[in-house]
């Protein structure tokens, strides 16, 4: 390679990942229930439970969280996969926490680890509504508001 070709390759290879990352940040996923139907915000918020299991950004199990007092969605969703070995962590209404059935990890209502062996809090996704009143999710890439650290899942 001559110097010009090498510089061109470096510039192209250096700019493509940045473009892909920017596109990935903007990607919006319409939340779906376990049967693949789009979730309508007004119907979902009438759910009497604090959590609602949906298909997340990559169809992974994800919890929409509902504030019981306002019946509004929290502005974030929690990935339901335990950060220890990936088991799905169900919400225990009785204990008011997520409890992993595999190895006993526990998470509070915000997804923070209460008891290990889980090494990290549950991953976050942004929750919003589109113009058709569907619940939409986008990737969470900024600082994790629970820990004030860079997200471990990015």
């Amino acid at each position: 390679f001559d110097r010009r070709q090498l510089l061109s390759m470096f510039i192209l290879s250096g700019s493509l990942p940045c473009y892909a990352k920017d596109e990935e940040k903007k990607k919006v996923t319409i939340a779906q229930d376990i049967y693949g139907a789009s979730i309508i915000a007004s119907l979902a918020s009438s759910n009497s439970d604090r959590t609602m299991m949906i298909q997340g950004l990559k169809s992974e199990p994800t919890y929409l969280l509902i504030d019981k007092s306002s019946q509004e969605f929290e502005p974030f969703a929690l990935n339901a996969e335990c950060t220890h070995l990936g088991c799905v962590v169900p919400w225990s209404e009785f204990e008011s926490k997520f409890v992993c059935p595999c190895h006993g990890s526990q998470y509070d209502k915000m997804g923070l680890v209460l008891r290990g062996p889980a090494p990290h809090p549950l991953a976050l996704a942004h929750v919003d509504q589109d113009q058709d009143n569907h619940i939409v999710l986008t990737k969470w890439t900024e600082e994790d508001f629970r820990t004030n650290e860079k997200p471990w899942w990015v």
Side-chain angles (χ1 to χ4, degrees):
F1 292 108
D2 70 9
R3 196 170 168 180
R4 184 172 295 163
Q5 287 175 318
L6 187 60
L7 184 57
S8 294
M9 286 176 49
F10 175 77
I11 290 172
L12 285 176
S13 67
S15 63
L16 289 176
C18 293
Y19 174 77
K21 285 181 184 177
D22 289 344
E23 286 301 309
E24 191 175 302
K25 285 181 191 177
K26 296 175 190 175
K27 185 178 178 190
V28 174
T29 301
I30 295 177
Q32 298 178 335
D33 64 17
I34 59 172
Y35 304 108
S38 299
I39 297 177
I40 306 297
S42 56
L43 297 175
S45 64
S46 64
N47 185 352
S48 63
D49 297 329
R50 175 172 160 50
T51 62
M52 180 179 187
M53 178 73 76
I54 63 168
Q55 294 183 41
L57 294 170
K58 297 178 183 172
S59 297
E60 75 278 7
T62 301
Y63 285 110
L64 283 179
L65 305 176
I66 302 166
D67 181 332
K68 282 190 170 186
S69 60
S70 68
Q71 285 301 99
E72 296 288 324
F73 288 105
E74 296 287 356
F76 62 92
L78 298 173
N79 184 307
E81 296 169 324
C82 181
T83 60
H84 177 231
L85 292 176
C87 300
V88 174
V89 291
W91 171 254
S92 171
E93 192 69 39
F94 177 72
E95 297 181 78
S96 294
K97 59 185 167 185
F98 297 97
V99 181
C100 182
C102 299
H103 298 104
S105 292
Q106 297 178 5
Y107 302 87
D108 70 7
K109 64 183 179 179
M110 302 291 278
L112 290 170
V113 176
L114 296 173
R115 190 180 102 191
H120 304 289
L122 298 174
L124 297 170
H126 289 282
V127 175
D128 208 348
Q129 294 178 31
D130 68 7
Q131 66 275 8
D132 297 322
N133 205 25
H134 293 113
I135 295 294
V136 294
L137 303 173
T138 53
K139 189 172 184 175
W140 193 289
T141 57
E142 63 272 17
E143 181 179 87
D144 183 340
F145 67 92
R146 304 164 301 176
T147 61
N148 297 322
E149 296 175 358
K150 182 180 176 187
W152 63 266
W153 58 89
V154 175

